[in-house]
Amino acid sequence: AAQAARRPAADAWVIPVVARAAGAMDAASFAGVLPQAAGDPAAYSVDNPPAIGPYVDLYFVGDGGRRLAVDVRAAAGPVEMWEFAVATDMAGVEVELALPDLSEVPVDKSVVLVDEAAGKRMYARTMTSYSYDSGEGGTRRFRLEVADRGDAGLMITSATATSVGGRMTVSYTLSAEAQVSVEVLNIAGRRVATPGGDLAPAGVSTTSWNGRGATGTQCPAGRYLVRITAHADDGQQVQALVPLSLNR
């Protein structure tokens, strides 16, 4: 009934979330928004069925710890979050998460996948998949965030790079959240190190470099360039280039 009533729109959309591991798959998990859920929320939420091993099992965490295969809300505010977990009884396998279809989510909203255990944030619109090692098996917690995007364009401002005692600190300010990479280049423009690469929030962020190249050897003192590249999930890309004098 919920599927028949749903019509993709600014206030009606779903996001499928898929987990795979060693040939097992859970492809029946959905988060979303549907105005009709206001009248009877329980009718638009589906309990997660028991898993039969060997398994990988993905479920949303509802009120009171209720495990849900489908977690649909009545309306989307400026920021909506869905807590979910991925469980497996298999040790030492690669677990892959994917959000294969975001076409229903309005283009003015960002979609971010958060690995709470690793402290990583990833833009789902530009992410093919995300993988991690299951370790000894068990449960790993994640979060799905859907938020309104600001109207301002992406900018990098106040970028600086300083070196003290062979260690570098680069500081920059973003006008909006973006995926950022920080690279150290020699004067010929060749990359010698990549000390930073992560999702950075709007505002001031810093990255440090230990003065070593990709092979782990110390880079000689002298002049370098630091290239900061920021990618927004709507395709915007901006760069900043700042000089660095590496002192030892």
Side-chain angles (χ1 to χ4, degrees), residues 13-19 26-33 44-49 57-73 80-87 97-99 112-113 139-146:
W13 42 265
V14 297
I15 299 174
V17 189
V18 177
D26 185 342
S29 302
F30 299 86
V33 168
Y44 295 89
S45 296
V46 178
D47 286 328
N48 192 60
D57 185 29
L58 190 155
Y59 59 87
F60 297 97
V61 182
D63 293 341
R66 182 183 174 195
R67 297 185 178 188
L68 302 173
V70 178
D71 186 356
V72 174
R73 284 113 185 249
E80 288 287 347
M81 298 185 186
W82 285 264
E83 301 283 345
F84 70 94
V86 179
L97 283 180
L99 282 69
V112 174
L113 176 67
T139 303
R140 193 174 179 112
R141 298 294 292 263
F142 294 85
R143 188 169 69 252
L144 184 63
E145 298 180 0
V146 179

Side-chain angles (χ1 to χ4, degrees), residues 200-218:
V204 179
S205 293
T206 59
T207 298
S208 61
W209 177 46
N210 60 7
R212 296 181 180 274
T215 61
T217 57
Q218 285 190 342

Side-chain angles (χ1 to χ4, degrees), residues 218-235:
Q218 285 190 342
C219 293
R223 296 171 60 200
Y224 293 85
L225 296 171
V226 178
R227 181 167 62 197
I228 307 163
T229 306
H231 299 263
D233 68 340
D234 61 357

